[in-house]
Amino acid sequence: MRASTQRDPHTSADVIVIGAGLAGLVAACEVVDAGQTVLILDQEGPNNLGGQAWWSFGGLFLVDSPEQRRLGVKDSLELARRDWELTAGFDRPEDYWPRLWAQKYVEWAAGEKRAWLRERGVSFFPVVGWAERGERGGIGNTVPRFHITWGTGPGLLKPFIERILRAASTGQVRFGWRHRFHQLHLDSETGAVTGVSGEILAPDNAERGEATSREVVGSFNLSCPRVIIATGGIGGNPDKVREAWPERLGSAPEHFLTGVPAYVDGSGIEAVERSGGRVINRDRMWHYTEGVENWGPVWPNHGIRILPGPSSLWLDAEGNRLPDRLWPGFDTLGTLTHLRHTGHDYSWFILNRDIIGKEFALSGSEQNPDLTDKSVRDVLRRARTDMPDPVRAFVYQGADFVMADSVRDLADEMNQLTGEGLIDVEQLEAIVAERDAGASSAGVDAQADAVREARAYSGDRLIRTVAPNKLVDPASGPLIAVRLHVLTRKTLGGLETDLNGRVLRDGGDPVPGLFAAGEASGFGGGGVHGYRSLEGTFLGGCLFSGRKAGRSATRADDAPESA
C-alpha cells in the first residue's frame, strides 16, 4: 500500500489529546466541558476506546468513605497521608513534584473524588478490599481502602466514553484512529508546542486488546497549540521493561508474563523526551509476582494476576517458605525483590479447595463477569459457590495449576510441571506441617495469626478470608499448587509535570502548551507513587491527572492555576 502524507486532515481543534485511554478521555471531557474542541489521536482503532482501563478490576483508592464507615473502618486524611508517604519512600531531589502530586491526590481521595464520580453515575461494591495490607508505622494500607467500581473497568469508563461520543456526534470531538504519534513540533523561538506529526497505520479490525498491524500507510502533520500526552507506560514492551529494570530489585526475569496489551509500548514517552520533555524515575516500576498464564490469551504472552487472600502458603521455586510479612496480599514490591534474588523466575502458592474458593479473585473485568455486568444475582451466587467459575476455568484449564490428595503427590506434580525437580518432598511436608500447626493454635505461626487479624475486619470475614484451617484437612481438599510468574503492569516514573500537568524540561521550565496525564506522567508529577503503590491508585491517578491536564489545557494563557 503506497504511503501518503496528510496535513491537517481534520477540522482544526483547540486541543489534541494523544491516547484514548482513561486519562485521555477524562482530559478530553474537561476540554469539552469548557466549550472547546478536541482531536483524540490513538495508534489503535476504535475497538480499543478506553485503553487499559477497560481490562481493569476497577479498584479505586478512597479515604474515609461511606463504604468504609459502614464496615466499621476508621480512616482519615492524616492516616492516609502517613501511609502514602511511608510507602512511597520519596528520597530523591526529583521527587519534588511527585510528592506534591501525592499530597493533592490523597486530599482528593479523601474529599471530592467520590462525589465527583457519583455525579457521573459511578457507584461501588459495598465491601471494601484490603490491598497491600500494612501495619501501623510500616508500609502499606493500615486500613482497607480498595473500592471496587460496580461494573469494574468498563463501568468506570462508561460516563467518560458516553460524554465523548455525545460530543463527537456534534463535531466537538474528532478521532484520529491508527495515528501513531512520533514527534512534537515546537516554535524555534519560544519553544512552545505548535503541533504533532507521526505515522498512519494500516486499518486493522482486531478485537479489543489483540495485537494489531504496524504496517505504515501514510503520515500526518497536525497544527495545534495545546497537546496532552496520555499514551501510557512501557508494560507491554518486554525490552523496555528489562532496560529500565533496576539492580535493587535483583535480576530482570528471563521469562515473565505481560499484564497489558502490546500497544502499551512507551513510544509516546520517548517521543516527548526527544523533544526536550524530562523523564524521571524511569527505574521505578510496579510488577506483580502472582501472575498465571491466561488459558484464553488476548494479547501476546497474556498473564492474569491472582488477587489473593492471606491464607495461601507461599514458597520460592526451591520450596523455601517466604519470610514473614511477605504473605499473599501484603507487600508486592518486597515480595518481587525477594523472589528476584532467588535465581528463579517463578514461585508457588500451596493451598486447598476451601482457600481457593473464597480467597482467589482474578484481576480484570473479563474475569469478573458478575461485577462487570452489575449482576446482583451472580454476585450472590459467587458467594454461595465453592469456587467461582472463572477461577474454576483456570484450575482445570490453566497451565500453572496442579492438584493432588497428599503433600507427597503434590510435590511430584509440581516437579513434573516444571521439569526441574526442585521440590523436596520431606521439606514440603515439614513446611506444611509447620503452617498447619498454626491453624489450630494462636502464637505458633505468624501467617496464621495474620489471617486471624484479617478476619477481625468484617469485609474479609464475609467474602475474602477463610478461617485458619489445615491445608491437609481432607474436608478442605484437594491440595492445589499454583506456579506464579512475574507479571508486568505499571510504569511508576514518567514525564515530569507540575501541579497543572504541564510537562517540564531539564531545569524545570514548562514546555508551553504541552501537558501529560496518566501513566505517561507517572500518574502525576513523574511518579506520584514513589517506589510503591497502595493499590487502587492507578485508575484514580488517571482520573486526577487527566482532569488536571484537561482543565489546564483549556486556559488560553497557559498560566498556572492555584494548587
Side-chain angles (χ1 to χ4, degrees):
M1 192 176 293
R2 188 168 58 88
S4 62
T5 299
Q6 298 182 10
R7 290 186 175 275
D8 296 75
H10 307 276
T11 303
S12 61
D14 296 309
V15 179
I16 287 177
V17 174
I18 304 177
L22 178 60
L25 292 175
V26 172
C29 284
E30 294 295 333
V31 176
V32 167
D33 289 344
Q36 299 183 22
T37 58
V38 60
L39 170 61
I40 300 174
L41 305 180
D42 198 284
Q43 65 179 333
E44 298 304 309
N47 287 348
N48 282 289
L49 181 60
Q52 298 178 64
W54 192 92
W55 298 97
S56 75
F57 195 36
L60 289 170
F61 176 91
L62 295 173
V63 177
D64 193 24
S65 69
E67 288 80 13
Q68 288 174 295
R69 293 194 292 270
R70 280 194 290 268
L71 292 165
V73 175
K74 296 181 180 180
D75 199 4
S76 68
L77 174 58
E78 180 184 4
L79 181 60
R81 279 175 172 163
R82 186 164 65 245
D83 284 355
W84 194 293
E85 186 74 18
L86 286 170
T87 302
F90 296 121
D91 62 358
R92 300 171 175 175
E94 54 266 45
D95 284 330
Y96 174 79
W97 287 111
R99 179 181 269 114
L100 290 180
W101 270 91
Q103 292 170 1
K104 295 298 181 182
Y105 177 72
V106 175
E107 290 173 6
W108 190 58
E112 182 190 2
K113 179 180 179 181
R114 183 181 183 277
W116 184 76
L117 287 168
R118 293 283 293 179
E119 288 173 0
R120 286 153 180 79
V122 176
S123 59
F124 302 99
F125 186 65
V127 179
V128 181
W130 199 341
E132 293 298 293
R133 296 168 189 262
E135 54 185 350
R136 291 187 182 272
I139 62 170
N141 288 296
T142 54
V143 297
R145 297 190 177 104
F146 191 82
H147 295 67
I148 301 169
T149 302
W150 188 233
T152 64
L156 181 60
L157 282 165
K158 182 180 178 182
F160 304 104
I161 289 177
E162 289 180 344
R163 180 72 180 97
I164 289 301
L165 294 181
R166 286 197 304 271
S169 70
T170 67
Q172 193 179 2
V173 171
R174 286 179 169 78
F175 295 97
W177 297 116
R178 303 292 285 161
H179 281 53
R180 182 167 61 186
F181 163 60
H182 182 72
Q183 185 177 356
L184 283 169
H185 297 286
L186 307 176
D187 184 276
S188 60
E189 295 183 1
T190 66
V193 168
T194 60
V196 299
S197 60
E199 300 164 328
I200 301 173
L201 303 179
D204 193 315
N205 294 321
E207 294 296 320
R208 180 185 290 275
E210 293 180 351
T212 56
S213 168
R214 288 298 179 258
E215 179 189 359
V216 176
V217 297
S219 62
F220 66 90
N221 191 333
L222 302 168
S223 298
C224 187
R226 284 166 286 167
V227 174
I228 300 173
I229 305 297
T231 52
I234 65 172
N237 188 326
D239 292 337
K240 290 190 183 302
V241 171
R242 291 190 179 95
E243 181 182 335
W245 194 277
E247 289 185 8
R248 67 177 179 276
L249 295 183
S251 61
E254 294 183 13
H255 167 77
F256 50 66
L257 301 176
T258 305
V260 293
Y263 58 72
V264 187
D265 58 10
S267 59
I269 297 174
E270 283 188 339
V272 176
E273 189 174 23
R274 286 195 299 269
S275 297
R278 186 185 187 205
V279 178
I280 60 175
N281 299 318
R282 69 178 82 230
D283 63 319
R284 293 177 181 170
M285 53 188 69
W286 191 251
H287 306 309
Y288 295 110
T289 50
E290 310 101 331
V292 292
E293 293 183 24
N294 192 345
W295 62 270
V298 176
W299 53 78
N301 206 29
H302 188 174
I304 295 293
R305 185 201 174 196
I306 296 169
L307 301 172
S311 299
S312 295
L313 180 62
W314 205 336
L315 309 178
D316 65 23
E318 296 181 1
N320 302 300
R321 192 174 186 181
L322 269 60
D324 286 349
R325 304 300 301 178
L326 299 186
W327 303 311
F330 278 74
D331 182 358
T332 294
L333 192 69
T335 304
L336 176 65
T337 303
H338 175 82
L339 289 173
R340 292 312 312 142
H341 285 87
T342 65
H344 300 280
D345 287 349
Y346 66 92
S347 61
W348 294 98
F349 276 164
I350 307 296
L351 62 161
N352 57 32
R353 189 180 187 88
D354 279 359
I355 295 172
I356 203 170
K358 189 167 186 176
E359 295 199 5
F360 263 38
L362 301 170
S363 182
S365 56
E366 81 285 11
Q367 301 297 333
N368 296 274
D370 50 354
L371 295 168
T372 301
D373 296 340
K374 301 183 179 181
S375 172
V376 174
R377 181 192 65 183
D378 288 346
V379 168
L380 293 174
R381 177 176 172 269
R382 181 202 287 222
R384 293 192 298 265
T385 189
D386 65 337
M387 191 184 302
D389 290 341
V391 174
R392 186 187 307 275
F394 271 85
V395 170
Y396 289 99
Q397 300 182 61
D400 296 305
F401 292 74
V402 294
M403 293 185 289
D405 291 325
S406 69
V407 175
R408 179 169 294 273
D409 289 344
L410 189 70
D412 289 342
E413 293 287 343
M414 295 163 70
N415 286 328
Q416 288 181 31
L417 179 64
T418 65
E420 294 187 293
L422 297 177
I423 301 300
D424 179 80
V425 174
E426 285 74 20
Q427 179 186 9
L428 182 59
E429 288 178 330
I431 291 174
V432 170
E434 176 188 52
R435 184 262 181 209
D436 282 0
S440 304
S441 303
V444 174
D445 183 82
Q447 183 178 358
D449 291 341
V451 170
R452 293 183 178 91
E453 292 175 9
R455 284 176 58 82
Y457 166 52
S458 60
D460 274 341
R461 189 169 62 252
L462 284 170
I463 66 170
R464 196 71 176 107
T465 306
V466 299
N469 68 354
K470 294 184 177 181
L471 292 176
V472 296
D473 183 352
S476 301
L479 289 166
I480 301 169
V482 186
R483 179 178 56 182
L484 307 170
H485 310 265
V486 174
L487 177 73
T488 67
R489 189 58 64 86
K490 294 301 179 188
T491 307
L492 296 189
L495 296 165
E496 186 179 27
T497 59
D498 65 13
L499 285 178
N500 296 284
R502 301 184 300 175
V503 176
L504 306 180
R505 296 188 176 98
D506 286 336
D509 292 330
V511 180
L514 183 61
F515 307 84
E519 193 172 355
S521 68
F523 302 95
V528 70
H529 296 95
Y531 290 93
R532 286 178 166 92
S533 166
L534 288 174
E535 289 290 12
T537 55
F538 300 126
L539 294 175
C542 288
L543 295 169
F544 188 59
S545 62
R547 192 176 84 144
K548 177 61 72 173
R551 292 181 177 183
S552 299
T554 61
R555 296 194 307 279
D557 61 1
D558 195 29
E561 65 178 352
S562 61

